[in-house]
Amino acid sequence: MKKRLLSAVLIGAMASTLLAGCGSTAQQSAAGAGTKAASGETKTAGQESSKTIKIGAICSMTGGSAIYGEGAQNAITMAAEEINSSDSEYKIEIVNGGKVVDDASDAKQAINAYNSLMKESPNAIVGCFFSSVTLPIAEQASKDNMLLLATGATNKDVTLKGPSIFRDCFIDPYQGKMAAQFAKEKGWAKAAVIYAKDDDYSNGLKDAFIENAKANGIEIVYTGECTTKDTDFSSQASQVVAKGADFLFYPCFLDTVPLLVGAARDAGFTGAIMGGDGWDGADTKGVEDKFDNCYFTNHYSSEDTAPAVSNFVTKYTEKYGTESLNACAALYYDAIYMIAEAAKNGKAADTPALIKGMTKMTFTGVGGTFTLDENGDPEKSVAINTFEGGKVKWLMTLSPEGTKK
């Protein structure tokens, strides 16, 4: 994803379970550790600089997407504290005084953020969360031979910029494919699609969904356009009803989601409505009942009972509460652990060793178990979330092999 957030989903904390046996080596070491070592602060006495991984982080810290930045900041701080308090051979230093640099959801500002971090000679950079600001950074990082681990940037072109670029989120074509797989499993046969024509994220998901829906025998009965600035969806919604659709795919960002859902229900559409990870954090206040039979794909669910997830959710909630406990936080948390694992794999903390250690890595974290492919992309399970009384609830997890309840 790559845009903005106006509100956050409140997520219930899970009962704490041990991470050992399910996380990466670094996570297993840190699972029971305290939080005595602070992220980005001074090194412990006698610590060798060659064993310290200097990491820069970029995310949207201001504006409508600030809740994402808050989650990223909390997550990288927590991950660094856990690793530094454990017996891990490699320690983490978050440069810029431990603070995430703001990309302001703007490509030019993102490059400025990247350049400011490069002045501190990092070994790796984590971010950004949105594809539009990650793409220019990825291009420059490739030229600089800098390891960039993208988090929520799902645009397929991000990792194609060069061999030093990786990500820990799924890509848009894969997300669209899994949405079509979910629709097939539910038995929906006539799909309508409404997408934002001025947004690459929306276009990418739309194209992938339509291609895979047709391959799965789902008829596309209507394709409608909107823009990211639209507030009235009544015309498109009436067409969805008129065309007899039983499923509506709306791959747009959360700020317009309540408007679209409301318009569809007001037009008499009672079928399923689904979106992508851009729905994470959508505000359902006042329209809770209209979100019945709505779904979205996401990178994880806080209700997932996997030990890596429940451990993360419990610790995060205890330290920071639930307001910023979102997929962004989970992805940045995993990213720090992935870099620590890359140092172990590459047997050093310098950038070339980290790139070597990251290449085709197999990792288990909050986002599940996955192996990075030749492009540096993971093919991972996708959480399917629904709504009950307007609140997000985990429905199932989809893998390429099928449903996991």
Side-chain angles (χ1 to χ4, degrees), residues 93-364:
E93 178 188 347
I94 306 299
V95 302
N96 190 44
K99 299 299 182 182
V100 174
V101 182
D102 185 18
D103 62 36
S105 301
D106 176 79
K108 183 177 180 179
Q109 179 59 32
I111 286 293
N112 291 338
Y114 171 84
N115 289 335
S116 72
L117 287 175
M118 288 297 288
K119 293 178 181 178
E120 300 199 41
S121 301
N123 304 118
I125 292 178
V126 171
C128 303
F129 192 57
F130 301 133
S131 296
S132 60
V133 293
T134 306
L135 282 164
I137 291 179
E139 185 169 350
Q140 186 59 50
S142 180
K143 293 177 182 177
D144 295 337
N145 294 315
M146 172 54 56
L147 189 156
L148 176 69
L149 180 54
T151 49
T154 54
N155 185 290
K156 64 182 178 61
D157 293 333
V158 169
T159 53
L160 300 182
K161 297 297 183 181
S164 67
I165 315 301
F166 306 86
R167 72 177 114 209
D168 65 348
C169 59
F170 45 64
I171 61 176
D172 288 335
Y174 182 70
Q175 184 175 194
K177 173 184 176 181
M178 299 305 280
Q181 179 177 318
F182 174 70
K184 179 183 179 181
E185 290 195 12
K186 296 292 286 186
W188 297 313
K190 295 184 176 182
V193 179
I194 300 174
Y195 72 101
K197 62 183 179 180
D198 59 336
D199 182 69
D200 289 341
Y201 167 80
S202 191
N203 275 273
L205 279 179
K206 176 262 297 184
D207 290 343
F209 174 78
I210 289 176
E211 177 184 352
N212 286 279
K214 291 178 178 178
N216 284 316
I218 299 172
E219 180 185 2
I220 306 298
V221 297
Y222 170 71
T223 302
E225 295 180 344
C226 64
T227 74
T228 55
K229 304 297 183 182
D230 285 353
T231 58
D232 184 357
F233 299 91
S234 56
S235 176
Q236 297 95 324
S238 65
Q239 287 296 310
V240 172
V241 175
K243 297 297 183 179
D246 56 9
F247 176 81
L248 170 58
F249 189 56
Y250 183 65
C252 297
F253 285 96
L254 73 168
D255 50 346
T256 61
V257 169
L259 300 174
L260 180 283
V261 171
R265 298 308 189 209
D266 290 344
F269 182 69
T270 58
I273 307 176
M274 187 173 191
D277 61 324
W279 280 38
D280 189 20
D283 187 3
T284 64
K285 186 176 181 180
V287 290
E288 292 89 348
D289 59 326
K290 296 182 179 182
F291 273 81
D292 292 347
N293 202 23
C294 286
Y295 312 86
F296 66 96
T297 52
N298 208 4
H299 304 276
Y300 98 118
S301 169
S302 66
E303 295 181 328
D304 193 325
T305 55
V309 177
S310 57
N311 178 74
F312 166 72
V313 169
T314 298
K315 287 187 174 183
Y316 190 100
T317 303
E318 288 174 350
K319 290 175 68 66
Y320 307 113
T322 59
E323 186 174 2
S324 61
L325 180 58
N326 47 40
C328 180
L331 289 164
Y332 274 80
Y333 180 83
D334 274 353
I336 300 302
Y337 272 102
M338 286 178 70
I339 292 174
E341 193 78 357
K344 179 182 176 183
N345 294 343
K347 303 186 185 307
D350 60 90
T351 302
L354 293 177
I355 293 172
K356 178 182 178 182
M358 187 72 68
T359 301
K360 296 190 176 179
M361 169 191 288
T362 296
F363 178 81
T364 298

